[in-house]
Amino acid sequence: MKKNWVIAIHGGAENQSREDIGEAKEAAYRQGLDNALMAGWHVLEAGGSAVDAVEAAVRSMENNQLFNAGRGGSLAKDESIEFDASIMDGKNMQAGAVSGVKHVKHPITLAKTIMERSKHVLLTSVGAEEFAREQELEMKGDDYFKTEEKIKSLKKAKKKEKDELLKDTVGAVALDMDGNLAAATSTGGLENQYPGRVGDSPIIGSGTYANNEVVAVSCTGDGEGIMRANVAHEVYALMKYKNLSLKEAAKEAMEVYKDRIEGDRNFIAMDPEGNVEFSFETSLMFRACKRNNDPTYLAIWRDEDGNWEKE
Ligand code: ASP
C-alpha cells in the first residue's frame, strides 16, 4: 500500500472582509501559511513523525507576528500576554499542554516537552515557566511580545472602537509515513481577556485531540463555546461510536447543541487515510494542506476557488 503523508494547518478563523484585511496583509498571510505548511511537510517528507511535523508548523506561526500565537499573541486587559497550547500524539494518546505562560518563545514546544519529559499533561503559569527553564527552552522578555501596535489595538478594544476583537489560534494536524496522526494548537487567547482566562486551546478533547485509529483535530473560535461542546473529542466520538465518515462527523460536530451553546466553532480534522476537513462558520479561515508531493492547497476566504475536495 502506498504510504501517505499529509499535513493541514490553520491560522485561525475570523469574520473579516477582503477590504478589512487589505491586499498586502493578505499576501503576507498566504506567505506565512505556506512557510508553516512547508516546515511541517518537510519533516514528514524526511520520514519524521506527525508530532514533530505539527510542532514545526505551529512553531513557524508562533514566530510570525501576523498570527495570534507566540510572538503575535494578543494582549489581555492588563497588557500582559498569556499563552495556551497543546499537542497530542495519536500513536500512544500521550498529550501535553500549557496555559498562562508569558515568557516562553514557543509554547507548543513547551507542551510537547511536558508530554515527553514529565509525568503531567497540563502545567500552568509559574510552574510551567519553571519547567520550561529547567528544560532549557528559549525564554523571551516582554519586549519580544509586546508591540506598540498591540497596545494601540488593546486601547481600541477597550473603547469598543472595533467590531472584531483580535483573537485566533494556530493549529496543525498531520499523518506521517508510519500511519501516525497528531494534532497541535497554540494561541494568545482573546484580546482584552481577563488575565488568567483559559480557553479551549490547552484543553485536550476541546481544542486538540488525536487518536491514530480515528482522527486528529485542532480547533479555533470562541473558546468558551468550544469547551462546552468539547468539539475536538466530539468529532472523534461521532466517528468512533456513530461510525460516521470524517466529512459527516465534521458537519455534525459543527451543529451539536448549537441551540444551547453560542459562539463560533471552527476546526481542521484529518482521518487515518489522510482525508482533511476544514470546517468553519466564519467568513474566513487561514488554511493550507499538502498531501505527499501533490500541489499545495492554500486558501483564506470561504468563497475561494479550489475547495479541498480531493477525497
Ligand atoms: N479558541 C481561542 C481561545 O478561546 C481563540 C481563537 O481560536 O480565536 O482562546
Side-chain angles (χ1 to χ4, degrees), residues 110-131:
L110 177 53
K112 184 166 168 255
T113 311
I114 291 168
M115 170 172 84
E116 291 174 345
R117 298 197 213 146
S118 85
K119 53 181 190 307
H120 307 299
V121 170
L122 173 59
L123 289 181
T124 72
S125 107
V126 184
E129 292 209 355
E130 188 182 324
F131 181 75

Side-chain angles (χ1 to χ4, degrees), residues 277-293:
E277 280 297 315
F278 295 102
S279 299
F280 57 106
E281 54 185 291
T282 45
S283 65
L284 71 83
M285 177 189 257
F286 300 105
R287 60 198 189 275
C289 180
K290 190 168 173 71
R291 175 182 286 141
N292 306 334
N293 286 304

Side-chain angles (χ1 to χ4, degrees), residues 226-246:
I226 294 174
M227 276 193 275
R228 289 160 63 212
N230 222 12
V231 173
H233 192 270
E234 193 67 30
V235 179
Y236 162 85
L238 287 163
M239 293 177 74
K240 169 92 179 164
Y241 303 115
K242 241 181 151 183
N243 274 323
L244 298 189
S245 68
L246 176 72

Side-chain angles (χ1 to χ4, degrees), residues 41-100:
W41 184 85
H42 281 300
V43 171
L44 298 174
E45 190 211 13
S49 70
V51 166
D52 287 345
V54 291
E55 181 201 13
V58 168
R59 278 175 70 98
S60 170
M61 289 184 277
E62 285 177 341
N63 281 334
N64 187 332
Q65 301 229 29
L66 279 176
F67 298 106
N68 182 17
R71 188 159 204 190
S74 59
L75 300 182
K77 231 183 171 66
D78 61 353
E79 291 193 9
S80 68
I81 311 188
E82 297 185 343
F83 300 106
D84 298 338
S86 63
I87 193 162
M88 188 159 179
D89 185 345
K91 183 179 169 182
N92 48 23
M93 295 181 74
Q94 295 282 355
V98 60
S99 86

Side-chain angles (χ1 to χ4, degrees), residues 167-169 187 189-190 197 199-201 220-223:
K167 47 177 199 167
D168 269 336
T169 291
T187 190
L190 310 180
R197 176 259 180 195
D200 60 302
S201 307
T220 176
D222 281 304

